[in-house]
Amino acid sequence: MSVKIALLGFGTVASGVPFLLKENKEKILQSAQSEIEVAKVLVKDDAEKDRLLAAGNDFDFVTNVDEILEDSDIAIVVELMGRIEPAKTFITRALQAGKHVVTANKDLLAVHGAELIAIAKEHGVALYYEAAVAGGIPILRTLVNSLAADKVTRVLGVVNGTSNFMMTKMVEEGWSYEDALAKAQELGYAESDPTNDVDGIDAAYKMVILSQFAFGMDVQFDQVGHKGIRKITPQDVAVAQSLGYVIKLVGSIEETPSGLVVEVTPTFLPKAHPLAGVNGVMNAVYVESIGIGESMYYGPGAGQKPTATSVVADIIRIVRRLNEGTIGKSFNEYSRPVQLAKPEDVKSDYYFSIQTPDMKGQLLKLAQIFNQEDVSFKQVLQEGAKDSVARVVIITHQLNQTQLQHIIEKIDEEADFTLLNTFKVLGE
Amino acid sequence: MSVKIALLGFGTVASGVPFLLKENKEKILQSAQSEIEVAKVLVKDDAEKDRLLAAGNDFDFVTNVDEILEDSDIAIVVELMGRIEPAKTFITRALQAGKHVVTANKDLLAVHGAELIAIAKEHGVALYYEAAVAGGIPILRTLVNSLAADKVTRVLGVVNGTSNFMMTKMVEEGWSYEDALAKAQELGYAESDPTNDVDGIDAAYKMVILSQFAFGMDVQFDQVGHKGIRKITPQDVAVAQSLGYVIKLVGSIEETPSGLVVEVTPTFLPKAHPLAGVNGVMNAVYVESIGIGESMYYGPGAGQKPTATSVVADIIRIVRRLNEGTIGKSFNEYSRPVQLAKPEDVKSDYYFSIQTPDMKGQLLKLAQIFNQEDVSFKQVLQEGAKDSVARVVIITHQLNQTQLQHIIEKIDEEADFTLLNTFKVLGE
């Protein structure tokens, strides 16, 4: 007997779902133990329906979601519309109607996940969303199943393809931020308003979900610090190169003695670090844990078929559980009380790029500021002055957030100094 | 209620199992939904038992396997003795006694897997072995679950840590094979007889298992071509570098129009390929598929805690299924008839290193040989002659196994030429 599913939305990713169901029919049948049939597809209006039918799509397109929610033959609803509304309302109603839900909607999950998970639990139905983090990379289910015996201590992720494409152009070809953005927009990777991608908001959503799966903590979106790539200059990139680093936008989750710290920020990665080679629109999630040690999961973070592969894997899992009679298990059962780190426990090496007039004693003055805060230098680079202005670059040994704050304030107090940029540096 | 397990063997990996069960107790309980207790541990003899007790190990050590196999309280037997016998007999008897089995024994699984899987099926018990391929990398379960909707077209794996450590020394530091082997032996990575590691036998075992999970085909060990790293010279490594490649021992499984080809062989990897950066004892499995496209799974291929993490993940899965009442599912359900590729469908770029006397017309003669076989050159490098002997290096465009055979024969027929080495080259 076949299991009937309905798609909400028929954009790029959604159309990949019937493609995979057909192309890999036999393998999917072995795994799911039932055939899977796309019974209905919700589209916006009659115009879209007519356009899709004219293009040769042979599905039962409907324009009213009730035709899906009230259809008792439909067991699984696959939401691929994106954005918060009406997706949230449709998912809520589907769960309440006893239907299992698969979604790739990371914004929704990151902001309203707890609410939706509770509704799913209440109604004994499944809510799966492997595709919500890093598209085609099977990271969520791997954390649930394969790292069940492990304790994760840190997660680092290059999880935004658009900004990683831009950073790759900036690093490998020396492009400016503006040129990289223009190219990303030309290729359709970046939207006309690129805020979500370049300011680290999209990556922060993914870090919220990864915090739940890797650390069992339901961190809120506004507890995730995020700083984007807009301010990175070709000079920063060149200095990073010359000191043996690659700059990337990295999301990190780390467990400190006082609790978790979650942030998204441009980060200097040592060139030998596995994440340093993750280029273009590719994504990767790097996991440090007490059992495995270090592992990395690499793949495309977006795109039709990669995302649809994760969506169909979720659908297969649900069908399988329906056949086994074990449906209703939460996607992620790991749960601990949320505890956030104190600023003094949040430690990292840091990069400072400081502009000073080219005169005697300036480096000494800088050294004194860092010394007062008990912070020592790992690498220092003073560049040849131009127009009587010098640039000093400092990479420090570990400092905590309190020290960082004090140093920034003290540099700001000195009229001579302009703090151009400060970024996190991943130690070897 | 707790689930009782028994360990067969208490070597390095085995002792990592109780470590993880204790260290991550709470998380494991959330996932398994039962406590897991190490009830008995099989050791070789009383001397080993006394030694382990004296060292402070607080377990019920037994020296007769019957004490485990006849103990109806023990639900899961964890085999970590390695080698074929007595592991095979013990696992067989455990399965026949209705016990679920977890093992990390790749040799055994690669050679006698089908037989053991059939016994497990017959008795409705589970036989899981995530740790058998690439230790801490969760590749098998990921192929089963997350790539259930996908069709894999090629798998490339750096899956032998010892040879990869040696190749890393040879590539990054220009060491000879002999020096690299001595260092690997000194550090305990290589055994005094390194055959299994350096000749690609260990990697071939893993390719057998990966063929089952990624392609559903039960390829036999003797159907896997394997060629090791013994013959790689510093000259080969240097030429590879100068042409933009890194040499590694790579296992590959590829589906051609006529069937599967599985082999382990030194391979030139373009420097930008994700596998090219997998260094030291680290392992990685790179997967090409029609859905995800390209993905890579990176981590430690061996070691106490990484391997134990995979073993405990298997144990948790069994306990979970015991609690759900769904035990007995095969670890891998993907199955298709085995079909091996015809030689003319097995295609790759190739590297040839040829020694010739330094005299006119030699390159022309070589060019004629390749031309007769319709094989064109991608890169050619002739090095300055020393002692009237020149070395010509050729990287070809794609050629098939029949062409390769003919070219090798023709070069051998020419008394002037000595074929020093020929290796696979991964195209961009």
Side-chain angles (χ1 to χ4, degrees):
Chain A
M1 214 195 69
S2 78
V3 172
K4 288 185 168 48
I5 70 173
L7 308 179
L8 308 187
F10 201 70
T12 314
V13 171
S15 63
V17 171
F19 166 81
L20 286 173
L21 288 175
K22 191 177 168 201
E23 187 70 20
N24 299 327
K25 195 184 171 88
E26 212 169 321
K27 185 179 177 191
I28 290 172
L29 180 60
Q30 286 191 4
S31 182
Q33 300 190 332
S34 285
E35 290 203 23
I36 297 165
E37 183 195 332
V38 179
K40 284 179 185 168
V41 178
L42 179 71
V43 294
K44 214 172 49 201
D45 49 30
D46 284 334
E48 189 183 6
K49 175 175 168 174
D50 293 344
R51 188 175 53 73
L52 288 166
L53 288 170
N57 293 287
D58 184 21
F59 294 105
D60 183 0
F61 291 106
V62 300
T63 54
N64 183 344
V65 75
D66 291 343
E67 292 193 47
I68 290 168
L69 299 179
E70 290 168 8
D71 183 340
S72 60
D73 284 348
I74 291 173
I76 303 171
V77 169
V78 182
E79 184 275 312
L80 295 165
M81 313 163 72
R83 319 218 173 230
I84 303 295
E85 284 298 349
K88 182 170 179 250
T89 301
F90 291 175
I91 289 177
T92 303
R93 289 186 53 204
L95 296 170
Q96 287 167 340
K99 300 191 187 309
H100 310 289
V101 171
V102 174
T103 172
N105 195 325
K106 70 183 157 306
D107 312 27
L108 180 58
L109 262 303
V111 180
H112 302 286
E115 183 186 336
L116 296 173
I117 290 164
I119 296 171
K121 201 168 181 182
E122 187 191 335
H123 291 85
V125 291
L127 173 62
Y128 288 178
Y129 41 93
E130 175 68 71
V133 175
I137 306 176
I139 183 63
L140 299 183
R141 185 161 282 112
T142 300
L143 287 167
V144 168
N145 288 332
S146 301
L147 276 81
D150 206 347
K151 180 186 163 77
V152 176
T153 52
R154 179 153 75 164
V155 169
L156 299 173
V158 171
V159 291
N160 179 269
T162 305
S163 60
N164 199 44
F165 168 83
M166 291 171 60
M167 288 309 307
T168 303
K169 288 291 176 198
M170 290 163 71
V171 169
E172 296 199 338
E173 328 221 4
W175 289 15
S176 68
Y177 168 82
E178 290 74 20
D179 289 347
L181 177 59
K183 189 64 170 183
Q185 286 171 329
E186 183 194 320
L187 293 172
Y189 297 149
E191 297 177 53
S192 54
D193 176 2
T195 306
N196 269 19
D197 291 321
V198 302
D199 287 343
I201 295 168
D202 172 81
Y205 285 138
K206 292 163 182 165
M207 288 299 123
V208 166
I209 299 173
L210 283 171
S211 300
Q212 294 158 356
F213 281 72
F215 294 90
M217 290 197 198
D218 194 13
V219 172
Q220 302 301 302
F221 175 72
D222 58 16
Q223 294 169 327
V224 180
H226 61 91
K227 176 169 163 181
I229 62 171
R230 289 185 204 259
K231 280 186 67 192
I232 301 172
T233 65
Q235 288 74 28
D236 295 321
V237 171
V239 160
Q241 292 263 38
S242 74
L243 295 175
Y245 299 94
V246 171
I247 315 185
K248 290 198 174 289
L249 184 66
V250 176
S252 74
I253 317 170
E254 196 173 344
E255 187 150 16
T256 76
S258 57
L260 218 58
V261 52
V262 191
E263 65 175 333
V264 176
T265 183
T267 303
F268 279 42
L269 297 168
K271 277 181 186 167
H273 193 281
L275 280 178
V278 176
N279 286 324
V281 293
M282 298 305 278
N283 280 199
V285 178
Y286 176 85
V287 178
E288 289 176 11
S289 58
I290 65 163
I292 298 180
E294 48 168 344
S295 55
M296 188 174 82
Y297 310 88
Y298 167 94
Q304 180 194 34
K305 287 179 196 163
T307 310
T309 302
S310 291
V311 167
V312 178
D314 280 349
I315 296 171
I316 291 173
R317 190 98 312 248
I318 290 174
V319 173
R320 179 68 187 234
R321 289 193 161 272
L322 282 172
N323 284 324
E324 285 176 347
T326 56
I327 198 75
K329 169 184 183 296
S330 285
F331 192 17
N332 171 41
E333 291 172 319
Y334 184 28
S335 176
R336 294 187 294 163
V338 179
Q339 213 174 331
L340 296 180
K342 293 180 187 154
E344 58 268 33
D345 280 341
V346 179
K347 291 175 188 166
S348 176
D349 302 354
Y350 271 89
Y351 160 90
F352 292 81
S353 169
I354 301 149
Q355 188 174 289
T356 88
D358 183 27
M359 47 191 262
K360 249 205 306 210
Q362 295 298 90
L363 192 57
L364 173 65
K365 235 164 45 178
L366 268 177
Q368 282 168 338
I369 291 177
F370 284 84
N371 193 51
Q372 282 165 10
E373 289 298 321
D374 260 337
V375 171
S376 60
F377 293 169
K378 192 182 208 168
Q379 288 166 297
V380 178
L381 190 75
Q382 175 164 355
E383 295 188 327
K386 230 192 270 176
D387 304 328
S388 306
V389 174
R391 194 163 70 108
V392 177
V393 163
I394 293 163
I395 292 184
T396 69
H397 283 291
Q398 271 207 345
L399 53 85
N400 67 36
Q401 294 300 296
T402 315
Q403 290 169 309
L404 177 65
Q405 209 45 51
H406 289 169
I407 290 169
I408 291 174
E409 282 163 15
K410 284 181 180 168
I411 293 174
D412 282 346
E413 278 166 18
E414 295 284 338
D416 282 355
F417 295 141
T418 309
L419 182 57
L420 298 173
N421 259 328
T422 169
F423 297 127
K424 234 169 113 170
V425 176
L426 194 70
E428 302 282 345
Chain B
M1 214 194 70
S2 80
V3 172
K4 287 184 167 51
I5 70 172
L7 307 180
L8 307 188
F10 201 70
T12 313
V13 171
S15 62
V17 171
F19 166 81
L20 286 172
L21 288 175
K22 190 176 168 202
E23 187 71 18
N24 299 327
K25 196 183 168 93
E26 212 170 320
K27 185 180 177 191
I28 291 172
L29 180 60
Q30 285 192 4
S31 182
Q33 301 190 332
S34 285
E35 289 202 24
I36 297 165
E37 183 195 333
V38 179
K40 284 179 184 167
V41 178
L42 177 72
V43 294
K44 216 170 49 201
D45 49 30
D46 284 334
E48 188 183 6
K49 176 175 167 173
D50 293 343
R51 188 175 54 73
L52 288 166
L53 288 170
N57 294 286
D58 183 22
F59 295 105
D60 183 0
F61 291 106
V62 301
T63 55
N64 182 346
V65 75
D66 291 342
E67 290 195 48
I68 288 167
L69 300 178
E70 291 167 7
D71 184 339
S72 60
D73 284 349
I74 290 172
I76 304 171
V77 169
V78 181
E79 184 274 313
L80 295 165
M81 313 163 72
R83 316 215 177 234
I84 303 294
E85 284 296 350
K88 182 169 177 250
T89 302
F90 291 176
I91 289 178
T92 303
R93 288 187 54 205
L95 295 170
Q96 287 167 340
K99 300 192 187 307
H100 310 288
V101 171
V102 174
T103 171
N105 195 326
K106 69 183 156 306
D107 313 28
L108 180 59
L109 262 303
V111 180
H112 302 286
E115 183 188 334
L116 296 173
I117 289 164
I119 296 172
K121 202 169 179 178
E122 189 192 333
H123 291 84
V125 292
L127 172 64
Y128 289 177
Y129 41 95
E130 175 68 70
V133 175
I137 305 177
I139 183 65
L140 299 182
R141 186 161 280 114
T142 300
L143 286 168
V144 168
N145 288 332
S146 301
L147 275 81
D150 206 347
K151 180 187 163 77
V152 176
T153 51
R154 179 153 74 165
V155 169
L156 298 173
V158 172
V159 291
N160 179 269
T162 306
S163 61
N164 199 46
F165 169 83
M166 291 171 59
M167 288 308 309
T168 302
K169 289 290 177 199
M170 291 164 70
V171 169
E172 295 198 338
E173 327 221 3
W175 288 16
S176 68
Y177 168 83
E178 290 73 21
D179 289 347
L181 176 59
K183 189 65 171 181
Q185 286 171 329
E186 182 194 321
L187 293 172
Y189 297 149
E191 298 177 52
S192 54
D193 175 2
T195 306
N196 269 18
D197 291 321
V198 302
D199 288 342
I201 295 168
D202 172 81
Y205 285 139
K206 292 163 182 166
M207 288 299 123
V208 166
I209 300 173
L210 283 171
S211 299
Q212 294 158 356
F213 281 72
F215 295 89
M217 289 196 197
D218 194 11
V219 172
Q220 302 302 302
F221 175 72
D222 59 16
Q223 294 169 326
V224 180
H226 60 92
K227 177 170 164 179
I229 63 171
R230 289 184 202 258
K231 281 187 65 192
I232 300 172
T233 65
Q235 289 74 28
D236 294 321
V237 170
V239 160
Q241 292 263 37
S242 73
L243 296 175
Y245 299 93
V246 171
I247 314 185
K248 289 197 174 290
L249 183 66
V250 176
S252 73
I253 316 171
E254 196 174 341
E255 187 150 15
T256 76
S258 56
L260 218 58
V261 54
V262 191
E263 65 175 334
V264 176
T265 184
T267 304
F268 280 41
L269 297 168
K271 279 181 186 165
H273 193 281
L275 281 178
V278 176
N279 286 324
V281 294
M282 298 304 277
N283 281 200
V285 178
Y286 176 85
V287 178
E288 289 176 10
S289 58
I290 65 164
I292 298 179
E294 47 168 344
S295 55
M296 189 173 83
Y297 310 88
Y298 167 95
Q304 180 194 36
K305 286 181 197 163
T307 310
T309 302
S310 291
V311 168
V312 179
D314 281 349
I315 296 172
I316 291 173
R317 189 102 309 251
I318 291 175
V319 173
R320 178 68 187 232
R321 288 193 162 273
L322 282 172
N323 285 323
E324 284 177 347
T326 56
I327 199 73
K329 170 184 184 295
S330 286
F331 192 18
N332 171 41
E333 292 173 319
Y334 183 28
S335 175
R336 293 187 296 161
V338 179
Q339 214 175 331
L340 296 180
K342 294 179 185 152
E344 58 268 31
D345 280 340
V346 179
K347 292 174 186 166
S348 176
D349 302 354
Y350 270 89
Y351 160 89
F352 292 81
S353 169
I354 302 148
Q355 188 176 288
T356 88
D358 183 26
M359 47 190 262
K360 246 203 312 207
Q362 294 301 89
L363 192 59
L364 174 64
K365 235 164 46 179
L366 267 177
Q368 280 166 339
I369 291 177
F370 283 83
N371 193 52
Q372 281 164 10
E373 289 298 322
D374 260 336
V375 171
S376 59
F377 293 170
K378 194 182 207 168
Q379 287 166 299
V380 178
L381 189 74
Q382 176 164 353
E383 295 188 329
K386 233 194 269 178
D387 305 325
S388 304
V389 174
R391 194 164 69 107
V392 178
V393 163
I394 293 163
I395 291 185
T396 69
H397 284 290
Q398 269 206 347
L399 53 85
N400 67 38
Q401 293 301 296
T402 315
Q403 291 169 311
L404 177 64
Q405 209 43 53
H406 290 169
I407 290 168
I408 291 173
E409 282 163 16
K410 285 180 181 170
I411 292 173
D412 281 346
E413 279 166 19
E414 296 283 339
D416 283 357
F417 295 140
T418 309
L419 183 57
L420 298 173
N421 258 329
T422 169
F423 296 128
K424 235 170 110 170
V425 176
L426 194 70
E428 301 280 345

